[in-house]
Amino acid sequence: MRTKLIEFRSGRTQAEMGARYGVSQQSWSYWERGVKCPCPFIMKKIADDAGVPMEIIFGDVFNNRKLLK
């Protein structure tokens, strides 16, 4: 589970966050649970909006080459 992504959501619903980034609520849920990861463009946008490096929010992606394939 990506706790930093959940912290960034901070009280907003997954549907609200999905709409903000142009994806479905289900996509946002997948990202939070680590089932899937957003494309690099969206990862960068989330990181910029959160004021935190992508490697912090999505550390499991950067530390697991299998997820990058």
Side-chain angles (χ1 to χ4, degrees):
M1 187 180 308
R2 296 189 174 113
T3 57
K4 292 292 183 189
L5 198 56
I6 295 168
E7 289 173 14
F8 172 62
R9 183 162 52 99
S10 70
R12 292 170 284 202
T13 67
Q14 290 177 340
E16 289 171 328
M17 296 306 287
R20 181 175 180 171
Y21 293 98
V23 300
S24 68
Q25 175 274 326
Q26 185 177 24
S27 291
W28 189 272
S29 174
Y30 285 159
W31 300 346
E32 283 187 359
R33 292 183 288 138
V35 173
K36 294 183 179 181
C37 63
C39 70
F41 173 78
I42 293 177
M43 287 171 52
K44 175 76 169 118
K45 185 166 173 43
I46 291 169
D48 289 348
D49 291 349
V52 177
M54 287 189 312
E55 297 82 2
I56 300 297
I57 297 175
F58 301 101
D60 53 337
V61 173
F62 288 93
N63 292 320
N64 187 348
R65 293 187 181 272
K66 290 180 186 177
L67 292 174
L68 294 174
K69 293 181 181 178

